[in-house]
Every structure is written in C-alpha cells, then in structure tokens.
Amino acid sequence: MTTTDDEFTAIWGDYPNYDDIARFDYGRRMWRRPVMGARLLAHWLDPRHPYRERFSERRAMIEGVLASEAGLVDLDTRLRECGTSLRCAAREIPPVFGSFFAHALG
Amino acid sequence: MNSCDIYERILARFRNVSYSNEAAFYGPKIDVQVWSAIGKEFTIATNQVDFAVPENSMVVDPVTDSDEVAVRCYDAMIGSEFEQRHGWHVNLMPDSVLRELPAEWETRATTRACGLLTVTVPSPADLLAPKLRRNEPRDRAHEAWAYAVGLLPSGL
C-alpha cells in the first residue's frame, strides 16, 4: 500500500529520519518471521541492550506497531488517537547491535 | 580506492545469490543493483565512503523488498562478526529514501556486469545531490573529495 507525498510528509514530517523509517519498515517485515521476531525480541530484552528498560516500558505499543498490517495512514491515525504517532512509535523501535544480535537466541 | 574497487569488494560477497528490490541511497553513495539468473533486476546495496570511519571501512546502505536479503543484512550490521571480518557493515534503508534522488536518476545511471550480477550505479552527481541539499560541513567535504578524485567533472 503506497502513500502519497502529502501523506508521507504528514506522517514523517518535512525532514524524515530514514533510520527511524527503516527500523519500522524492516522491523514489521522481520517481526512476521518467527525466527527473526524471536531474535529481535531477545535482542531488545538482552541486559546488554542500552534501550532494554525503555523498550520494556513501551513493549506493548511497539509490538502492536510491529505486528500491525495496517497501512501507514491508518496506523498513524490509530496511534494519534492513543496520544502518540507513527513517527514517535518508530523512534521507539530499538536499534540492532551486531555484536550480540547474531547470538541473541544463544 | 576507486568506485570499481569498491564494487569488486562488495560484490565478491554476493556472487551466485539472487536478490530483489529497488535502488536506494542516502547521500553520496554508489548504488549496487544485480540481476538474477533469470534476468530480473534487483538493487541490493549502496555503499558510502564516510570520512568518519577508517580508510579501509565502508557502510553499505541497501534497500530491498526481499526478506531473505534483509535477514542477511541484519546479520551484517554495525558491530557484527561480518563487519569485523570484512571491514564494512550494512545499514538497511527504506525504499522511501528514493524520494531524495533527483528525478530520472535511472537514465543517468551506468551498468556493469560482475559475475552473475549486474551492477547499476547512479551518477556521482545524483548520489551527491541529497547531501548538497543538506549542506552540512561533512557534505561539502564529500563534494570536495568527489571533485578531487575525479568523480565529478569540473564546472558541474
């Protein structure tokens, strides 16, 4: 499902952060794959991950975003109704650190 | 290291593999597109020379609609064993980053065969355009470097 330029700007702002968008785009795709989804979750909950605590506090929202199959406009609308936005939610998706992601499942 | 040396170094890791997607990049980069054995075109990576990293280190920013490629990229991110072994890492980019490219960049791109892969490279001027819009000191430094090594013709 594609978005128009206006929709893109409305969601991501005039100066989109492509790293945030990448974590959202690829995060959703990887989340649907059982093994990768499990690896991501284990990685973000790893004590070595610097954002583990923040992710734990917002885990339900982040997992809801990653599991959602809604289009960007619909998803952003739903998040705004909850007092946040897709732009903010994407920022909350933690990054992946290669040094301990590969072995996240032991 | 010239652009062809960079391609050889990257593509040596991707022989005999099929990928899919559009090209993408952000900043002055070299885009890497490949063709599968059945002739389908894919873009799998871009690479960017970053003055902030050691001379023998690179960042590759691929955009892909292939989940298999994306999985491989996750295992080659910064700090990974892959990076330690090869000296470069992967930073996945969304396809929306294509909007930063000048219009019709594909018409100015060049194509090169490399083993089973075909590489399509946007022109250096197109690769530099987003950085020049941003116009930070590092972007102007990248422009100066591009002129110095002959990637941009004088008077551009």
Side-chain angles (χ1 to χ4, degrees):
Chain A
M1 188 180 304
T2 59
T3 56
T4 65
D5 287 346
D6 287 343
E7 290 171 338
F8 182 88
T9 301
I11 294 170
W12 301 112
D14 291 328
Y15 303 97
N17 185 308
Y18 290 106
D19 288 326
D20 289 352
I21 300 173
R23 291 198 308 279
F24 168 72
D25 280 356
Y26 292 102
R28 283 216 294 187
R29 289 164 51 185
M30 294 298 101
W31 195 255
R32 297 182 192 125
R33 300 169 70 97
V35 172
M36 283 300 288
R39 288 179 67 187
L40 286 170
L41 189 60
H43 181 67
W44 293 333
L45 293 174
D46 192 304
R48 293 169 289 181
H49 200 292
Y51 304 146
R52 176 186 56 82
E53 184 175 345
R54 187 175 179 92
F55 169 73
S56 298
E57 294 172 353
R58 295 161 177 77
R59 178 174 173 177
M61 183 274 290
I62 296 172
E63 290 193 8
V65 169
L66 294 175
S68 172
E69 296 186 359
L72 299 189
V73 175
D74 289 342
L75 183 55
D76 185 56
T77 299
R78 294 179 201 175
L79 289 168
R80 287 178 184 274
E81 292 171 351
C82 297
T84 182
S85 68
L86 179 55
R87 184 179 179 184
C88 292
R91 177 61 62 91
E92 295 291 346
I93 300 172
V96 169
F97 298 94
S99 60
F100 63 99
F101 175 71
H103 307 290
L105 294 182
Chain B
M1 181 184 294
N2 60 38
S3 59
C4 291
D5 292 336
I6 293 173
Y7 300 150
E8 292 289 348
R9 185 174 176 181
I10 294 174
L11 295 176
R13 315 299 179 191
F14 288 92
R15 294 187 189 278
N16 304 318
V17 177
S18 293
Y19 299 108
S20 64
N21 214 339
E22 295 291 329
F25 65 80
Y26 181 63
K29 298 177 182 178
I30 299 170
D31 203 51
V32 180
Q33 293 187 332
V34 302
W35 271 255
S36 70
I38 60 173
K40 185 176 180 182
E41 175 187 336
F42 307 104
T43 298
I44 62 169
T46 64
N47 79 64
Q48 168 185 316
V49 177
D50 190 331
F51 293 130
V53 300
E55 184 176 347
N56 62 347
S57 178
M58 293 190 297
V59 177
V60 178
D61 294 353
V63 172
T64 179
D65 63 2
S66 164
D67 286 355
E68 286 70 29
V69 173
V71 169
R72 289 171 183 251
C73 291
Y74 268 82
D75 285 330
M77 288 191 172
I78 190 169
S80 64
E81 180 182 349
F82 179 93
E83 182 193 38
Q84 294 171 23
R85 185 185 317 132
H86 301 297
W88 57 276
H89 67 270
V90 167
N91 185 41
L92 282 166
M93 280 285 108
D95 60 5
S96 56
V97 78
L98 281 169
R99 61 195 287 113
E100 300 294 333
L101 299 180
E104 300 180 349
W105 67 268
E106 298 92 335
T107 63
R108 295 179 291 275
T110 57
T111 300
R112 168 179 170 174
C114 185
L116 296 178
L117 307 175
T118 301
V119 178
T120 297
V121 181
S123 71
D126 284 339
L127 292 171
L128 195 58
K131 279 188 173 287
L132 296 183
R133 282 200 304 273
R134 188 171 61 184
N135 200 32
E136 293 179 357
R138 56 175 171 165
D139 302 317
R140 295 192 290 273
H142 287 166
E143 181 188 30
W145 171 83
Y147 276 114
V149 299
L151 286 179
L152 293 177
S154 58
L156 183 65

